Amino acid sequence: MVDERLEASVRDVFAAGDVASAWHPFYGRRIRVEHWANARSQGSAAARSMLGEPISYDRIPYFFSDQYEVGMEYSGFATEWDQVVVDGDRDAGEFVAFWLKDERVLAGMSVNVWDVNQHVQALIRSRQPVDPAALLDNDTPLEALVSVRAADAS
């Protein structure tokens, strides 16, 4: 178990990757992400922390997998939700699924749809309600939903 700096309760002992149950400031709880991309990101963050840099590891959990002709990217941390919205063609294997709670995007997974991960993460970070119908509106790109929410917040 480590804090947001990836330091254990024993001074100067750090952990990263699969073994690290890290305090996540964004989620306000400990989480573990078992994927090499997380290990790489946490490893460099732990090294900066060891060198005395003030860090707070709060990357949105992310993983991807390519399995034959299916490519998937998942961002977020959805342990409970009240709605799943799927935009795209499930039969063709090209869609984006969104896990929502109280109309807030908790996680998103794209299947054979590319260049949406950064927008999914922005929706998660915004913590703003999103009309589920807007997620299904092909005339409204995801980045527009984030921009609208950011403009509303200012």
Side-chain angles (χ1 to χ4, degrees):
M1 294 190 347
V2 295
D3 62 17
E4 70 276 359
R5 296 181 55 245
L6 303 172
E7 186 172 22
S9 59
V10 177
R11 184 173 158 77
D12 295 330
V13 173
F14 296 81
D18 293 3
V19 301
S21 177
W23 181 259
H24 199 288
F26 182 79
Y27 294 108
R29 64 180 288 181
R30 293 187 179 287
I31 64 172
R32 279 182 62 229
V33 178
E34 297 180 34
H35 190 270
W36 67 265
N38 181 67
R40 182 179 62 194
S41 297
Q42 276 189 338
S44 62
R48 291 192 320 273
S49 190
M50 287 177 210
L51 294 171
E53 289 184 33
I55 68 131
S56 180
Y57 189 82
D58 71 346
R59 289 181 67 121
I60 298 294
Y62 166 82
F63 72 84
F64 69 91
S65 181
D66 292 319
Q67 299 177 19
Y68 300 99
E69 57 278 336
V70 178
M72 299 166 279
E73 289 184 292
Y74 176 93
S75 286
F77 185 70
T79 57
E80 62 178 72
W81 54 89
D82 54 27
Q83 187 174 14
V84 177
V85 175
V86 179
D87 178 34
D89 187 341
R90 292 184 213 195
D91 292 335
E94 294 180 1
F95 60 89
V96 182
F98 300 92
W99 284 259
L100 294 93
K101 180 146 178 108
D102 300 324
E103 295 191 343
R104 288 170 173 78
V105 176
L106 303 176
M109 182 175 80
S110 59
V111 176
N112 290 335
V113 176
W114 310 110
D115 301 324
V116 297
N117 184 56
Q118 68 274 21
H119 307 303
V120 169
Q121 289 200 12
L123 284 168
I124 294 167
R125 279 207 180 273
S126 78
R127 290 190 167 139
Q128 297 297 314
V130 174
D131 179 359
L135 294 170
L136 299 172
D137 181 359
N138 292 329
D139 293 329
T140 305
L142 289 179
E143 59 268 26
L145 296 176
V146 175
S147 300
V148 167
R149 290 295 168 199
D152 288 348
S154 48

